[in-house]
Amino acid sequence: MSSENEQQLREHLAEQYRYVEQIGLNELSSGNLSCRFEYGMLISPSGASADNITPESVVRVSLDGEWEGDRKPSSEWRMHAAVYLAKPSAEAVVHTHSDYCVALASQLMPLPGFHYLVGSFGGNDVPCVPYSTFGTQSLGDDAARALATRTACLLGNHGMICRGKNLKSAVNLAHRLEIMCRQYVLTRQLGEPKLLTEEQWDEFFERAKKVSYGRFI
Ligand SMILES: [Zn+2]
């Protein structure tokens, strides 16, 4: 029996899952979304798609992988759990294989500080962790380590993952990272872009703090 709060979160998660597909970040079941709930999380089911996800199909999973109901959780539940375990402020996690994130991640390339909005992920770059097989603890551990000091990272030869203070903010970060990776790929076509200097980053973070521009870490 779902509490009212759980029901609302399930509905919100299904709605955000559809939105992520609608904006082109998730095609053919390649992404997954979760939010923290009680001592575990609610996560999109294995095989979810915008057409078949419903509030009832969202799976309740403990952080050590015990799940309830007749739908299996996403095969990436370990990666989501690792982030919640390592970062108490993470309330939602989004993982996608969006095009431009995969383009950079397949070069095992971090997104460098070519634009000041790279700073909205908490530092002067967005790191890329090494490749690990999907669903493994080592992928989860690497992602959780990278997300200790950033709100997003790229996953080598795989995609991206980010964390937020709620589902909507995590989805927006996933969208923002895709935009920034696309813009980076575009500028690379014109040559090597100039990166912001250390001094410019100091000024950015100073200013960002003053205007409460995003909650960085
Ligand atoms: Zn994946």
Side-chain angles (χ1 to χ4, degrees), residues 93-125:
V93 171
V94 172
H95 163 57
T96 78
H97 299 178
S98 57
D99 293 345
Y100 287 88
C101 289
V102 168
L104 262 71
S106 304
Q107 307 278 349
L108 294 173
M109 185 190 267
L111 177 68
F114 76 107
H115 187 289
Y116 75 95
L117 281 177
V118 170
S120 55
F121 301 98
N124 62 5
D125 68 356

Side-chain angles (χ1 to χ4, degrees), residues 7-123:
Q7 188 56 28
Q8 278 174 359
L9 286 171
R10 285 171 174 272
E11 283 167 18
H12 188 46
L13 197 145
E15 175 201 310
Q16 289 298 308
Y17 190 97
R18 285 190 288 267
Y19 175 69
V20 166
E21 178 147 326
Q22 190 193 321
I23 60 174
L25 301 185
N26 180 17
E27 293 172 279
L28 295 178
S29 310
S30 56
N32 32 74
L33 272 70
S34 73
C35 60
R36 199 189 279 276
F37 181 69
E38 294 181 346
Y39 298 109
M41 61 181 155
L42 296 170
I43 189 165
S44 47
S46 175
S49 73
D51 292 337
N52 69 21
I53 194 160
T54 61
E56 297 69 41
S57 69
V58 170
V59 190
R60 190 167 162 169
V61 193
S62 71
L63 296 186
D64 54 9
E66 305 259 331
W67 50 279
E68 296 170 7
D70 47 13
R71 289 293 296 264
K72 269 199 220 168
S74 155
S75 57
E76 290 296 9
W77 68 265
R78 279 188 189 81
M79 183 162 63
H80 291 247
V83 174
Y84 292 125
L85 284 166
K87 198 75 190 175
S89 61
E91 290 293 333
V93 171
V94 172
H95 163 57
T96 78
H97 299 178
S98 57
D99 293 345
Y100 287 88
C101 289
V102 168
L104 262 71
S106 304
Q107 307 278 349
L108 294 173
M109 185 190 267
L111 177 68
F114 76 107
H115 187 289
Y116 75 95
L117 281 177
V118 170
S120 55
F121 301 98

Side-chain angles (χ1 to χ4, degrees), residues 116 119 124 196-211 213 216:
Y116 75 95
N124 62 5
L196 270 70
T197 64
E198 217 168 292
E199 197 189 349
Q200 287 167 333
W201 279 119
D202 288 348
E203 266 185 51
F204 168 81
F205 284 111
E206 194 61 30
R207 175 116 194 107
K209 239 185 278 163
K210 271 188 208 144
V211 297
Y213 181 48
F216 292 129

